[in-house]
Amino acid sequence: MTERPHLAVVGAGPAGLAGALAAAARGVRVTLLDAAEQAGGQFYRQPAAALGARRPQALHHQWRTWERLRDGLDRHIAAGRVTHLTDHHVWCVEGESGAFAVHALRGPAQEEGVTVRADAVLLATGGCERVLPFPGWTLPGVITAGGAQAMLKGGLVLPGRTAVVAGTGPLLLPVATGLAAAGARVAALVESADPKDLLRQAPALVAQPGKLAEGACYAGRLIRHGVRTLPRHTVVEAHGTDRLEAVTVAALDRDGRLRPGSARRIPCDTLAVGHGMLPHTDLAETLGCTLSGTDVRVDDEQRTDVPGVWAAGETTGIGGAALSLAEGHIAGRSVAARLHGATPDPRRWAAASRARTRLREFFAALDTVYAPPADWADRITDDTVVCRCEEVSAGQVRTAVGTLGAGDLRTVKLLTRAGMGWCQGRMCGPAVAGLTGCPLTPGRRPFARPVPLGVLAGLPEQETD
């Protein structure tokens, strides 16, 4: 009997789950690898069972969708169609069409190597927050907006008693409402975008009435919890000695620059700040997949230009859970057809394709509205740390360009060590690009995360099918 074709899915968020379920339902053997202890990704992040959460659904919307995904995964695992490898941190994918090796580190200590071989790979690696520095951003109590949400969903922990949520983008709404509902006093929601700019994108926005209703629901919750909203405002500085004590915010003019005399100080012990998201593309870059800007380029079947490699979800462009589900479903069905030697019929996923088109248009419209303030880089003082791993200041980065003549991010990195630390520039890269005026170009790294030398030396002995 011929063995079923094998698909390795990297990432168990909405895109990875949708892709795994669609492929498994059509006769493909699936191995689902994920760094977390439970499926769901960041969007459906679950509290640990030991915490005994009585109503985890209170921290989520689209809970019924999650239940369908979870139950479907459980059924396929029980039937032997899906192998779910939790706590597996994928650090490299190598190979060519028809023969791929997915290398991962197993367990919380990440000292044991595992290799999964597959006929095809679906990259559903999600995205990460874009972090832009400002004076005081390294104080304890300053966290990312997504970090605050992860603490609440995964640990049932409030990051502080009095919070300010700031930056730009749709993520700020669920973060602010979630913190308020959990008992924190949200002193302000500081959004740099102008709500009036949304009216200019009305054609794309009204095509998604569900998203508009979702936004209106969040707005109602903010009012109900007494959260003050400050549109066209931005954080100028965070204050404190040993930890955060207050933030200074100021209004922005139509050009995105600070309005003189508008600064105000807001006492708080937590600042949850975010300026949008960027795709995780390390594994795609290692495989040689082409990127369009910061996104992995895919065709209508979610195929990359590397044969045997598909990509779906935030790694192909930031667009939220619903878009990730549509892309994952399309990818899974395409993989199943291709691995069985058939030509995929796009009519089989017509509904998902229409949803994908509408959602891409919707989030493209949002991207034009939710952008960092125009002069954010000019407001960073020379003594502000930009690269936290290597403790590189904004002044050092500016010197590398203005005095030493660096003309690209790689040269700035060599001259200052910005981006040479643990995160390899994933966190500080956008800030360094903004300070220098250099384009944010992806770097092709051999590994997506640090790997022990013992794992590298023992690769032949660690391989498992």
Side-chain angles (χ1 to χ4, degrees):
M1 181 176 179
T2 303
E3 190 175 48
R4 289 178 296 161
H6 188 194
L7 167 68
V9 180
V10 183
L17 286 172
L21 298 184
R26 289 157 182 83
V28 175
R29 182 165 57 100
V30 177
T31 298
L32 178 62
L33 302 97
D34 192 60
E37 295 181 357
Q38 301 181 71
Q42 298 301 319
F43 188 78
Y44 293 118
R45 178 187 285 268
Q46 304 295 309
L51 293 175
R54 291 192 297 264
R55 295 180 61 249
Q57 64 269 27
L59 302 172
H60 297 267
H61 64 289
Q62 299 181 12
W63 183 256
R64 290 183 179 177
T65 300
W66 158 244
E67 289 181 320
R68 288 195 295 271
L69 292 170
R70 180 196 61 198
D71 295 345
L73 178 63
D74 290 342
R75 286 194 300 271
H76 284 300
I77 291 174
R81 291 185 288 266
V82 174
T83 300
H84 184 199
L85 301 181
T86 61
D87 240 340
H88 278 61
H89 307 257
V90 177
W91 56 270
C92 182
V93 179
E94 60 179 350
E96 297 177 355
S97 179
F100 292 93
V102 181
H103 301 296
L105 301 173
R106 176 161 49 193
Q110 300 179 40
E111 294 290 336
E112 182 182 0
V114 172
T115 297
V116 173
R117 297 199 175 277
D119 303 304
V121 175
L122 169 57
L123 301 176
T125 48
C128 59
E129 285 189 271
R130 176 166 49 190
V131 178
L132 301 179
F134 49 87
W137 77 295
T138 56
L139 280 169
V142 180
I143 58 178
T144 65
Q149 191 177 56
M151 292 174 67
L152 189 57
K153 286 184 176 181
L156 306 180
V157 173
L158 281 174
R161 293 179 178 273
T162 303
V164 170
V165 179
T168 190
L171 178 61
L172 301 186
L173 291 172
V175 171
T177 55
L179 291 175
R185 188 177 78 84
V186 180
L189 171 59
V190 182
E191 168 61 71
S192 63
D194 187 345
K196 295 178 182 176
D197 291 338
L198 290 171
L199 298 177
R200 299 187 178 92
Q201 305 299 327
L205 301 184
V206 296
Q208 289 293 314
K211 287 292 184 182
L212 295 181
E214 186 179 311
C217 181
Y218 282 128
R221 292 179 187 175
L222 291 175
I223 295 172
R224 188 162 61 251
H225 289 292
V227 177
R228 176 175 47 169
T229 303
L230 300 176
R232 287 178 59 185
H233 279 68
T234 189
V235 170
V236 177
E237 185 174 358
H239 309 281
T241 50
D242 296 328
R243 65 165 292 111
L244 180 68
E245 299 171 3
V247 298
T248 293
V249 303
L252 299 168
D253 62 20
R254 288 299 304 167
D255 296 323
R257 303 186 181 280
L258 295 184
R259 282 174 44 195
S262 65
R264 68 177 79 177
R265 189 178 176 113
I266 303 176
C268 61
D269 58 18
T270 299
L271 171 61
V273 61
H275 292 91
M277 297 183 67
L278 294 170
H280 270 309
T281 59
D282 290 346
L283 297 177
E285 293 166 31
T286 301
L287 283 163
C289 301
T290 299
L291 270 62
S292 296
T294 59
D295 309 336
V296 177
R297 183 186 298 171
V298 292
D299 65 8
D300 288 343
E301 295 181 33
Q302 299 297 137
R303 293 181 299 174
T304 72
D305 56 354
V306 175
V309 180
W310 281 253
E314 310 282 38
T315 191
T316 67
I318 304 302
L323 177 56
S324 294
L325 289 169
E327 291 186 353
H329 181 78
I330 293 169
R333 296 191 69 138
S334 170
V335 168
R338 297 285 178 182
L339 290 184
H340 286 305
T343 300
D345 183 357
R347 292 175 297 181
R348 299 291 185 181
W349 59 73
S353 181
R354 289 192 296 270
R356 178 181 60 184
T357 298
R358 291 194 299 266
L359 286 165
R360 282 180 176 174
E361 292 173 350
F362 178 84
F363 281 97
L366 290 187
D367 283 345
T368 65
V369 176
Y370 294 112
D375 66 341
W376 69 265
D378 297 336
R379 290 189 264 110
I380 300 177
T381 58
D382 281 345
D383 60 349
T384 300
V385 172
V386 173
C387 173
R388 300 179 73 161
C389 297
E390 295 294 321
E391 298 184 352
V392 179
S393 68
Q396 291 172 285
V397 172
R398 288 171 174 141
T399 297
V401 176
T403 303
L404 302 179
D408 57 76
L409 293 184
R410 176 176 173 79
T411 305
V412 173
K413 179 178 180 178
L414 293 173
L415 292 173
T416 66
R417 296 191 60 81
M420 288 190 181
W422 184 266
C423 81
Q424 287 292 288
R426 294 172 182 83
M427 300 298 288
C428 66
V432 175
L435 279 170
T436 61
C438 300
L440 182 60
T441 53
R444 188 169 178 178
R445 306 178 182 91
F447 304 149
R449 61 177 61 243
V451 185
L453 290 176
V455 170
L456 294 177
L459 273 179
E461 290 74 30
Q462 297 292 332
E463 294 182 357
T464 61
D465 291 330

